[in-house]
Amino acid sequence: MDSATRQQIESRRAALDMSPEEFRSAGHRLVDEIAAFLESIPRRPVVPPVSPRTLRQAMGTDSLPEQGTPAAALLEDAARLLFENSLLSSHPRFWGYINAGPAPIGALADLLASAVNPNTGGWILAPVATEVERQTVRWIAELIEYPQDCGGLLTSGGNMANFVPFLVAKRAKVDWPAYETGLRAGRQLRVYGSSETHTWIHKAADLFGLGTDAVRWIGCDRALRMNTDGLRREIERDRQAGDLPFLVVGQAGSVSTGAVDPLREIARICRERDLWFHVDGAYGAVAAALPASSPHAVPDLAGIAEADSVAVDPHKWLYAPLEAGCALVRDRKLLLQTFSHRPPYYHFDEGDTADERINYFEHGLQNSRGFRALKVWLALRQAGREGYVESMTENIGVAQALYRAAEAHPELEAVTQALSITTLRYVPRDLRSIRESAPVAEYLNKLNTEVLDRLQRGGEAFLTNAVVDGRFLLRACVVNFRSTTADAEAVAAIVARVGREADRDVRPVSGLGP
Ligand SMILES: *Cc1c(COP(=O)(O)O)cnc(C)c1O
């Protein structure tokens, strides 16, 4: 290398580097802007009036920049773009899907995690981050009263937190070397879940080679809990047909209505028949932390302790910012058996067992991994068990207040209430007594679809929907520690007003009357 090139390299400032002064001043400014934004959220609409077209216009159609731009100006631009054009899940009246209003400490934790940038795939790359993740997993197990010596890891979300146990169950229960031959060499596998099971199970059955026909959908009772007699019958029938039933998925808070399956009964059925029992508690498992003395405690959640595996989503009811899921597997050896494939170029000194070095790439699907655990770990420490129990209790209280407000309103029908999910719909006064008749039932579905669209566009509150017994319902899921009972009452009034307006606009001129 000639000395001119050498000198150029040594005196260079890389395009992406920032001087300490530049980082400090841009960072302080950004934090100030974020603080002002968070404070302003309750006064902003829940959703901005944007469309793909308006956003593409706002962002411009320039091609990839040839030259760079100073970081401070870019951050300011980006902050403005995001603040003005985002759906605000921190808004006290945002109760859509199961999407938490995130804890502010999570935002700061993500900044810190990125600044240090440990790769939690391997212990050697992330010594303290690995230990923080290990402790976070144990604390989540402790919170839901699951054995703390379980295996587990953080994932991107609930889908992944269900996929991991799905794969472990398959590895554990398939009695031929499917890791070599694939599934074609053996019997037809069967998976069981209630008809309320989240769509992750379709993806898993398809992507992991079972085919969606492998899923047996078990019917539910009136409270939308799995019918366990139906489960027994289906397993028996499949066994007699020569298939291999291997996995039952129980719901700890179904995605539509928050229903909790009879988990202890399902655990018994699985034990007796040597099936893997997995609990999808992406949303509701953490409600197992409510003390037995709480009026909101759900005794069936005690069945989680008997499961072979559990999915929990810290980015739902633990209020972590996206993304954070968590898979727990009772027998941690099975996790390694499923996911440990070591190529010759990976050499790790593992230490002795008391001082074991966990390499999380061997516990799940990812290889390189970020430091998701930090935001969850810090939030668990900031709130403590008590803080979480209090926030969950309040969320359930807000959902129940919405139910009561709907019940008391002459134009609203309160339909279901479980955990922090309430469903309701708008029923015009004159149709109330004939709401079961076919043309009215059909119209009410159309009307409530319209009400939901208007609510979501209007920006005053944000709900999503559920379909129960063929009825299209508005659904509020409160995983938001900023919401109050006054918000619940206000939202009931908003739904009624929007319902009235929609009914006036879309009611057919004739044909609904008795
Ligand atoms: C949300 C949810 C999922 C999916 O979780 P993601 O974090 O969205 O991937 C799966 N099951 C249940 C019961 C859920 O509530």
Side-chain angles (χ1 to χ4, degrees):
M1 187 187 305
D2 63 36
S3 68
T5 314
R6 189 189 175 99
Q7 199 179 353
Q8 198 189 342
I9 292 174
E10 275 166 17
S11 63
R12 167 194 65 154
R13 235 197 74 209
L16 286 173
D17 208 356
M18 289 172 84
S19 71
E21 302 73 45
E22 201 182 352
F23 187 87
R24 210 170 272 126
S25 99
H28 285 169
R29 188 156 187 164
L30 182 62
V31 167
D32 284 343
E33 283 168 4
I34 293 171
F37 163 70
L38 292 178
E39 200 236 314
S40 74
I41 284 177
R43 299 189 299 277
R44 291 172 180 261
V46 187
V47 284
V50 292
S51 73
R53 193 158 43 86
T54 62
L55 288 174
R56 286 166 199 167
Q57 273 165 2
M59 291 164 62
T61 52
D62 302 347
S63 48
L64 172 73
E66 282 305 323
Q67 262 95 46
T69 304
L74 291 176
L75 286 168
E76 219 171 300
D77 262 15
R80 195 166 340 109
L81 185 70
L82 267 66
F83 297 161
E84 301 305 327
N85 298 295
S86 296
L87 173 145
L88 304 177
S89 58
S90 292
H91 195 288
R93 294 180 188 173
F94 174 80
W95 299 331
Y97 305 100
I98 307 184
N99 211 318
I105 197 168
L108 296 172
D110 271 348
L111 174 62
L112 178 57
S114 300
V116 179
N117 198 35
N119 183 338
T120 59
W123 197 93
I124 192 175
L125 288 159
V128 69
T130 302
E131 296 307 317
V132 166
E133 178 156 350
R134 179 171 173 274
Q135 188 165 63
T136 305
V137 167
R138 294 169 83 94
W139 281 352
I140 290 173
E142 191 177 347
L143 183 70
I144 66 170
E145 300 191 8
Y146 196 65
Q148 284 168 62
D149 59 355
C150 66
L153 79 173
L154 294 197
T155 63
S156 55
N159 263 33
M160 283 294 166
N162 283 300
F163 287 176
V164 166
F166 186 95
L167 291 168
V168 177
K170 180 160 80 70
R171 174 58 63 91
K173 296 296 185 192
V174 166
D175 51 7
W176 65 93
Y179 50 91
E180 287 168 356
T181 63
L183 295 175
R184 71 191 136 77
R187 289 180 283 162
Q188 169 69 55
L189 297 178
R190 295 289 178 200
V191 185
Y192 306 81
S194 88
S195 49
E196 294 295 298
T197 307
H198 186 280
T199 154
W200 71 265
I201 204 166
H202 283 117
K203 277 195 184 172
D206 170 19
L207 297 175
F208 301 134
L210 282 68
T212 53
D213 286 351
V215 183
R216 298 294 197 200
W217 302 95
I218 310 298
C220 291
D221 64 14
R222 287 206 52 76
L224 301 173
R225 295 151 42 93
M226 184 194 282
N227 171 346
T228 47
D229 288 336
L231 174 64
R232 279 197 198 84
R233 272 199 306 276
E234 285 283 338
I235 294 173
E236 200 44 48
R237 187 153 54 210
D238 287 336
R239 284 229 159 120
Q240 277 171 13
D243 298 347
L244 179 58
F246 81 107
L247 169 66
V248 180
V249 178
Q251 298 297 304
S254 69
V255 65
S256 259
T257 63
V260 177
D261 281 336
L263 298 177
R264 283 184 290 197
E265 176 69 11
I266 297 174
R268 182 166 339 115
I269 292 170
C270 289
R271 226 174 10 247
E272 286 165 6
R273 291 163 179 74
D274 192 30
L275 269 69
W276 187 280
F277 174 34
H278 172 67
V279 171
D280 182 1
Y283 158 53
V286 290
L290 298 172
S293 59
S294 160
H296 305 311
V298 181
D300 268 310
L301 291 173
I304 291 174
E306 298 177 49
D308 293 300
S309 55
V310 191
V312 185
D313 243 356
H315 69 206
K316 288 179 175 169
W317 223 352
L318 293 182
Y319 315 105
L322 297 161
E323 303 166 342
C326 178
L328 302 175
V329 175
R330 177 183 297 272
D331 181 350
R332 61 188 299 279
K333 287 192 309 296
L334 294 176
L335 266 177
L336 284 162
Q337 227 177 69
T338 309
F339 293 108
S340 182
H341 297 273
R342 291 201 180 186
Y345 52 85
Y346 280 5
H347 166 76
F348 295 107
D349 169 11
E350 313 209 285
D352 56 32
T353 43
D355 196 24
E356 181 207 13
R357 299 177 167 203
I358 295 175
N359 297 305
Y360 276 117
F361 86 94
E362 296 182 294
H363 295 234
L365 289 132
Q366 278 182 285
N367 195 55
S368 291
R369 308 167 73 242
F371 191 10
R372 292 196 184 94
L374 185 63
K375 59 194 170 194
V376 183
W377 187 69
L378 287 174
L380 285 167
R381 294 175 69 194
Q382 188 194 356
R385 185 200 297 272
E386 273 184 20
Y388 271 108
V389 166
E390 202 174 283
S391 290
M392 282 191 272
T393 302
E394 285 168 11
N395 287 174
I396 294 170
V398 171
Q400 292 184 343
L402 178 62
Y403 187 89
R404 281 194 306 272
E407 233 175 4
H409 198 290
E411 293 157 277
L412 298 178
E413 182 183 4
V415 183
T416 67
Q417 206 302 299
L419 297 178
S420 66
I421 298 180
T422 291
T423 63
L424 66 153
R425 63 177 179 167
Y426 179 76
V427 180
R429 268 177 225 253
D430 60 318
L431 300 183
R432 200 166 180 97
S433 62
I434 51 167
R435 62 185 187 269
E436 311 285 348
S437 88
V440 175
E442 194 183 319
Y443 171 64
L444 289 177
N445 282 352
K446 178 169 174 241
L447 174 59
N448 280 279
T449 308
E450 176 68 21
V451 172
L452 183 66
D453 289 344
R454 290 183 183 208
L455 271 175
Q456 290 188 345
R457 280 197 304 266
E460 290 178 276
F462 197 98
L463 308 183
T464 47
N465 76 288
V467 176
V468 174
D469 293 337
R471 286 172 298 175
F472 185 97
L473 307 174
L474 310 176
R475 167 184 168 288
C477 176
V478 186
V479 282
N480 190 334
F481 53 80
R482 297 172 180 87
S483 306
T484 64
T485 46
D487 290 315
E489 281 144 22
V491 168
I494 292 166
V495 171
R497 192 197 74 229
V498 172
R500 224 168 288 135
E501 291 162 4
D503 184 37
R504 205 173 48 220
D505 295 346
V506 304
R507 169 105 58 129
V509 263
S510 64
L512 286 180

